[in-house]
Structure formats: structure tokens, C-alpha cells
Amino acid sequence: MYYGNIKSCDIADGIGVRVTLFVSGCTNRCEGCFQPETWDFRYGQPFTAETEETLLDMLAPSYINGLTLLGGDPFEPGNQRVLTPFLKRVRERFPQKDIWAFTGFLYEDLLRPGSHPRCQVTDEMLALLDVLVDGPFILAQKEVGLRFRGSRNQRIIDMNKTREDGQVVLWNG
């Protein structure tokens, strides 16, 4: 897996001050995407053990609320296979911090057998998330004032309540 950027003090992509990882690779290729360079699966730098350690060090300060995954798309199957073991390390080391992920895929598609994004680690990766922002960016539904999303069709899903209820529960932060 490659990544395009890491932000150590991001306040735009989740609640509080966050560490944000922008992974590379996206097959959704949404019109009007704010980072089309990240569609390329080889954009940026390789995600290595050293990258993981850097991210874990960035997450350590008490003022950091959590980790956010953006892209590209973290739910491209190749990205999931790399991110899932890393997210397990984050959970083990920082159980009090939350994990957000943004994807252009719908949550229902992540669950549907045979869909492009679904792979052997999808359920495990979803289980490690607190919040999932799902759905493709749709330029015709773009709204600058939306909180934590770019277009009206996108949902902010409270993954903990969704797991409890067995159905999608929107986050109301």
C-alpha cells in the first residue's frame, strides 16, 4: 500500500485534533474529487513498518483524539489488508482514541458478498471503526457547509451503535 500524506494535527476530518492518513488508490474516481492524484495506487510513498511507528508516535499525545483514514480509499481491498493489522495495533495501544474512516463505497456494499470492496478482512476492519463516512462524492450534491462530508448523499455512521442495533445508525456528534 502507498499513502499520499499524513497530517499530525488535523481538525477537519473528525472530532477534535486527529492524526490523518491519506492512503493511495481509489476505483471510485468521483467527479470533482478534491484529491484525484490519490486515485493512483502507487501515488506517494510506501506504507512501511516505519510509517506505522511514526503514526503511533503521533497518536501518543493526550490532545490527539484519534486516527482518521482518508484517501484514495481505505476500503480498496489491498488497502484493507494492510490497514487492518495496523488498526488493531492502534486499538491495542490507544483504546481511548477513536478511529474514523472515509470511503466512497456504501456501507451496504462493504457487507455484500461479491462486491468489489468486500474481502476477507472487511468485517474485521469495520469492527475496528468508531465512525464511517460512506458514499461517493457527488458533485451535483456538493454542499460546502456540511460537517465532515462533501456531498449530501454521504452518511456519517456511528459504527458502535450500528453494531449494537444491527442496522445503520447515523452519528449525531
Side-chain angles (χ1 to χ4, degrees):
M1 182 182 87
Y2 280 66
Y3 70 96
N5 195 10
I6 294 173
K7 292 185 178 179
S8 61
C9 288
D10 183 6
I11 58 168
D13 298 308
I15 294 296
V17 181
R18 316 189 62 73
V19 173
T20 303
L21 172 66
F22 292 82
V23 301
S24 296
C26 184
T27 56
N28 289 308
R29 299 178 178 255
C30 301
E31 179 186 1
C33 174
F34 78 105
Q35 294 194 127
E37 64 276 7
T38 65
W39 297 349
D40 180 350
F41 284 84
R42 295 263 184 196
Y43 173 74
Q45 302 172 56
F47 187 83
T48 64
E50 291 79 21
T51 310
E52 286 192 20
E53 291 307 317
T54 297
L55 287 163
L56 291 169
D57 288 346
M58 288 177 175
L59 285 163
S62 61
Y63 63 85
I64 297 292
N65 285 53
L67 174 69
T68 297
L69 305 173
L70 295 160
D73 201 307
F75 277 93
E76 289 291 345
N79 292 344
Q80 290 182 59
R81 290 181 188 104
V82 173
L83 290 169
T84 299
F86 171 64
L87 294 180
K88 288 168 67 175
R89 290 184 69 200
V90 171
R91 275 280 176 235
E92 288 166 6
R93 191 167 305 175
F94 305 109
Q96 75 283 11
K97 298 188 188 257
D98 61 14
I99 302 173
W100 286 47
F102 287 70
T103 182
F105 300 108
L106 293 174
Y107 173 66
E108 291 79 5
D109 290 336
L110 296 173
L111 299 177
R112 188 170 39 84
S115 68
H116 166 73
R118 184 149 179 87
C119 69
Q120 70 276 18
V121 297
T122 303
D123 291 338
E124 188 175 8
M125 185 161 158
L126 287 168
L128 293 163
L129 300 180
D130 296 289
V131 176
L132 177 69
V133 181
D134 82 333
F137 171 75
I138 298 176
L139 188 57
Q141 294 186 37
K142 178 180 179 178
E143 197 168 306
V144 178
L146 292 172
R147 192 171 188 204
F148 306 127
R149 55 203 172 114
S151 58
R152 288 186 305 280
N153 63 295
Q154 294 171 315
R155 301 178 295 182
I156 305 173
I157 300 172
D158 183 323
M159 291 301 295
N160 297 314
K161 289 182 180 173
T162 294
R163 284 188 288 274
E164 278 177 28
D165 290 4
Q167 63 184 1
V168 172
V169 177
L170 298 181
W171 179 82
N172 61 10

